[in-house]
Amino acid sequence: MADKSDVTLPLSISAGIHIGVIIILALGIDFSHKPEPMQQVSAPAVKAVMVDQQKVANQVEKLKQEKRDAERREQERQAELERKAQEAKQAREREQAQIKMLEQERKQQEIETQKANEAAKLAQVKQQQEKEKAVKAEADRKLKEQERKVAEDAAQKAAEKRKVEEAAAAKAETDRKQKEAEAKAKADKAKADAEAKAKAEAKAKADAKAKADAEAKARAQQEQEMADALAAEQAALSQTMNKQMQSEVGKYQAMIKSTIQRNLVVDESMRGKTCTVSVRLANDGFVISSQTKGGDPNVCRAAKAAILKAGKLPVSPDPAVYNLMKEINLIVEPTF
């Protein structure tokens, strides 16, 4: 019994010590001081302690290995977490770069769309301007065609009127010649009668002479009356033709003013102001020269520019009318 208690006690102590060491190793506790020497035990107890120490060492090694494995797994887990975090960071950076690139593409597309819209608007404005220009050109062409027709009609009417007047003048000349012939015939007959009378009335020479004088006086008076009538007709015809020519000059002056007004570029500062312009024209209407004679400087510059732009101005084909208007003075007044 005594031997059994001697063995049991050391075994219990050894077991307790080893359990404590295992716990300490498991908890990672390290003691720097040396353990106090254990009491010596008997040989069987030492053997048992050695066996237990081997188990304890194995258990400790196992615990250390488990701890190393746990640390390795923790390191691997941490490395995996860091790898995933790095991958997530890279993914975020790629996503942000893609978002930035998409935003740049969107902005570029907006710029291109805006440019395309502006180009389309410019093209539309240009198309509208071209259309308006074509409409204006057509309107100008129609206006010029209308003015040409009006001028041609006026010229034709003037020519017809001139023909009528020329026919009237020719008829008046014929009538005058006929009257002169009739007067001459009467005079010849009167002279023959007088001579016959003179021969027949030789006895009454004094009476015949007196009668002849009276007839001569009457004839002279008749001839004077016919000459006066002819002069009156000529004066009336000349006055009629002069009025017609003045009317033609006035008409073409109005057409010239209309042409200048059509080419005149005006602004508000010219309202109520005028300029006198002297123009020399060739027989086909070509402007040989133009000079300002006085007036508002802006109106004068605009008038000369309008005349230069026109190049040719309306003139009458009648040489007599042209001679009256080949050098004319015009008063240009802008209209609004």
Side-chain angles (χ1 to χ4, degrees):
M1 293 292 293
D3 294 336
K4 185 176 181 179
S5 61
D6 294 336
V7 174
T8 300
L9 180 59
L11 286 174
S12 299
I13 295 170
S14 177
I17 292 171
H18 284 86
I19 291 170
V21 171
I22 292 170
I23 293 171
I24 291 169
L25 292 174
L27 295 175
I29 299 173
D30 185 17
F31 295 96
S32 61
H33 61 279
K34 296 181 179 180
E36 294 181 357
M38 298 178 58
Q39 295 181 355
Q40 294 183 354
V41 294
S42 60
V46 171
K47 185 176 182 180
V49 170
M50 292 179 62
V51 173
D52 291 337
Q53 286 180 346
Q54 185 63 39
K55 290 180 179 180
V56 169
N58 292 337
Q59 187 67 26
V60 169
E61 186 62 28
K62 182 179 179 181
L63 292 172
K64 287 182 177 181
Q65 186 62 41
E66 289 177 353
K67 184 178 180 182
R68 285 193 297 271
D69 292 342
E71 290 175 350
R72 180 179 54 76
R73 286 194 298 273
E74 179 64 20
Q75 291 175 354
E76 290 176 353
R77 187 179 70 82
Q78 292 293 334
E80 181 67 16
L81 290 175
E82 290 177 358
R83 184 183 65 77
K84 289 182 178 181
Q86 184 65 24
E87 289 178 353
K89 181 179 178 181
Q90 293 175 354
R92 284 195 306 272
E93 291 176 351
R94 287 194 298 272
E95 183 178 0
Q96 290 176 354
Q98 187 175 7
I99 291 172
K100 185 176 180 181
M101 182 180 69
L102 291 173
E103 180 66 18
Q104 291 177 348
E105 291 177 355
R106 183 186 65 79
K107 289 182 178 179
Q108 183 64 30
Q109 189 172 7
E110 288 180 353
I111 292 173
E112 292 176 355
T113 301
Q114 185 178 1
K115 288 182 178 179
N117 292 335
E118 292 175 353
K121 288 181 180 178
L122 288 175
Q124 186 177 4
V125 170
K126 186 175 181 181
Q127 184 179 6
Q128 182 65 26
Q129 290 176 346
E130 292 294 333
K131 184 177 180 181
E132 292 175 354
K133 185 177 180 181
V135 171
K136 185 177 182 300
E138 180 64 17
D140 291 341
R141 185 191 67 77
K142 290 182 178 179
L143 180 60
K144 289 181 179 179
E145 181 67 18
Q146 183 178 3
E147 290 176 350
R148 184 185 65 79
K149 289 182 178 179
V150 170
E152 289 177 353
D153 293 340
Q156 184 177 0
K157 290 180 180 178
E160 292 174 354
K161 188 175 182 181
R162 188 168 61 252
K163 288 180 179 178
V164 171
E165 292 173 351
E166 288 174 353
K171 185 177 182 302
E173 182 66 16
T174 300
D175 293 341
R176 183 187 66 80
K177 289 181 180 180
Q178 185 177 357
K179 287 180 181 180
E180 286 180 351
E182 290 175 355
K184 185 178 180 182
K186 287 180 180 180
D188 291 341
K189 186 177 182 298
K191 184 178 180 181
D193 291 342
E195 289 176 353
K197 264 185 189 182
K199 289 179 181 180
E201 298 177 358
K203 295 179 181 180
K205 197 174 186 180
D207 295 338
K209 185 177 182 299
K211 188 176 181 180
D213 292 339
E215 288 178 353
K217 184 178 180 180
R219 185 172 61 250
Q221 184 178 358
Q222 185 179 10
E223 288 178 356
Q224 183 62 42
E225 289 175 355
M226 290 178 64
D228 292 341
L230 180 61
E233 288 179 358
Q234 290 289 344
L237 179 61
S238 176
Q239 186 177 7
T240 300
M241 293 183 67
N242 187 47
K243 287 182 179 179
Q244 176 62 29
M245 290 176 65
Q246 291 298 328
S247 176
E248 286 289 298
V249 170
K251 181 183 69 176
Y252 278 94
Q253 281 184 344
M255 293 171 64
I256 290 172
K257 282 186 176 182
S258 176
T259 301
I260 294 173
Q261 287 287 352
R262 192 164 56 252
N263 291 282
L264 193 66
V265 178
V266 301
D267 57 51
E268 194 61 29
S269 66
M270 300 180 187
R271 186 180 293 275
K273 299 176 181 178
T274 62
C275 178
T276 302
V277 183
S278 176
V279 182
R280 290 185 61 198
L281 300 173
N283 57 5
D284 63 347
F286 179 79
V287 178
I288 299 174
S289 66
S290 63
Q291 293 181 348
T292 57
K293 297 294 185 178
D296 181 78
N298 292 333
V299 178
C300 290
R301 281 194 295 271
K304 290 201 68 174
I307 294 170
L308 181 63
K309 183 179 179 181
K312 293 179 69 176
L313 298 175
V315 294
S316 173
D318 190 342
V321 178
Y322 165 72
N323 286 331
L324 293 176
M325 60 179 296
K326 63 183 179 181
E327 293 186 8
I328 57 173
N329 292 326
L330 300 172
I331 297 177
V332 179
E333 182 177 1
T335 57
F336 293 84

